Structure formats: structure tokens, C-alpha cells
Amino acid sequence: MAVLKILTYPENSLSQPSVKVDNTNKAGIDDEIKKLIGNMGETMFNAPGVGLAAPQIGVNKRIIVYDSNAENTDDDNSKQEFTALINPEIIASSGSIVSEKEACLSVVDYSADVKRYEKVTVKALNIEGEKLEFDAQGILAVIMQHEIDHLDGILFIDRISLLKRTMYKKKLAKKLNEQ
Ligand code: NI
């Protein structure tokens, strides 16, 4: 497995919608995709982060990984297990929460409060190509919304006020100019 380079805003692949992974012949997920998923998990823990979507490593396919223990509040970092979802979709949502200081490995040196659904129902395929469906709440619901947004070319800075987004872009432009 390998740690991959995480692309950062305004890299093109981050704003592009991703395509579904083909599983029409029900042959399961091929070795190339499984290898990619393994690398994504390693890259996420190396960052470190709690979620990563394929467009963040320049692959515009509908694949996300997240820390299986993201909901645990104890500081036990020894359990590095991740879950992969292929072609994930939010099929139901309810409630409203503010995700405080939401951040992204692709948006450097910035965090902001983002309004999110409190509860979502996610439908996806697992790494074996089997269908699954589950409810997520709280932090897991936020991770699902954040990562699935990536697959539609949406970053959390697209979900904050225009004023805040403009300020972030100015700050970034200044920083890039100084390099
Ligand atoms: Ni992100």
C-alpha cells in the first residue's frame, strides 16, 4: 500500500462530479479498485483525517473511505480501521445541526461552521460489491455528507456564506502569491 498525494483547492478534480464504479455484471469490485481503496485508507490515516474521497487523490470515481472509529471519543488511535463505501448515496435526511469547525484535507488552513442534516440514510456498496444501507447521526452523518459532497464536486467552503468563502479565497490567493 502507498500514501498518495492529497490534492488541495483549487485543484480541478475537486470541483468535478465523479462517475459511478461499474458493478453491473455483479462481478464484484475489481483488484484495481480494492488497491485504490487500500491506498486511500492509508493516505487518510497518514494525513491524519477521518474521511477521504477519491477526487481528493485525483480519481473522479464515487468511492469514499472513513475512520470506522470516528464516533469514538476516547483517544485510542491504535485502532486504525477504515470503512470504504462505493457509489454512496444519501437516500433520506432529517433534522439540522451545525458542524463546528468543519475542515477538509483539501482545504488548507481553514475551518468553518457548516449547517448539515442531523441524520442521514446512506445506500452504498461495500468493498465486496454487496449492497448496504444504514442510518448515520451526529459526526458520522457529517462525514457522510462531507465525503459524498466531494463526489459531486462540492467542498464545505461551497456551503458557507459568500462573504466567508470570498475571504478564504483572498487569503489563499495571497498565500499562493507569496510562495
Ligand atoms: Ni474533505
Side-chain angles (χ1 to χ4, degrees):
M1 287 200 286
V3 171
L4 307 167
K5 183 179 189 299
I6 297 176
L7 304 177
T8 57
Y9 175 85
E11 196 78 47
N12 198 38
S13 70
L14 295 170
S15 59
Q16 300 301 310
S18 291
V19 297
K20 276 190 167 183
V21 174
D22 183 22
N23 192 42
T24 43
N25 60 6
K26 303 278 189 291
I29 305 305
D30 67 31
D31 288 348
E32 192 191 333
I33 297 286
K34 285 182 180 170
K35 188 179 164 198
L36 174 74
I37 286 170
N39 289 340
M40 283 174 65
E42 192 171 341
T43 302
M44 175 184 73
F45 284 127
N46 180 66
V50 291
L52 189 74
Q56 294 183 272
I57 45 127
V59 177
N60 281 106
K61 290 184 176 168
R62 302 189 79 87
I63 303 168
I64 66 170
V65 298
Y66 62 95
D67 184 344
S68 310
N69 300 303
E71 288 172 293
N72 295 351
T73 47
D74 58 25
D75 284 333
D76 181 7
N77 294 325
S78 61
K79 286 182 284 180
Q80 290 203 333
E81 297 161 334
F82 68 88
T83 304
L85 296 179
I86 296 159
N87 302 339
E89 287 173 65
I90 291 172
I91 56 168
S93 55
S94 61
S96 174
I97 51 169
V98 173
S99 159
E100 289 177 10
K101 292 187 181 160
E102 193 168 316
C104 177
L105 297 173
S106 294
V107 179
V108 289
D109 298 334
Y110 191 67
S111 65
D113 293 353
V114 184
K115 200 176 160 201
R116 296 288 190 185
Y117 293 112
E118 185 185 9
K119 190 177 167 187
V120 294
T121 304
V122 177
K123 188 178 118 178
L125 299 175
N126 67 14
I127 196 166
E128 302 305 329
E130 299 158 344
K131 283 182 185 170
L132 59 99
E133 199 178 302
F134 63 94
D135 292 330
Q137 292 192 57
I139 182 154
L140 190 56
V142 171
I143 292 172
M144 291 301 123
Q145 291 166 84
H146 180 116
E147 301 308 330
I148 293 171
D149 266 356
H150 274 300
L151 305 181
D152 295 321
I154 297 167
L155 298 174
F156 80 92
I157 51 171
D158 296 315
R159 296 203 180 276
I160 59 177
S161 72
L162 178 64
L163 178 67
K164 282 186 186 166
R165 185 161 61 249
T166 305
M167 281 167 61
Y168 173 69
K169 286 181 180 177
K170 277 187 185 164
K171 192 178 117 178
L172 182 70
K174 189 166 173 258
K175 197 179 147 194
L176 293 175
N177 275 334
E178 282 166 0
Q179 281 173 357

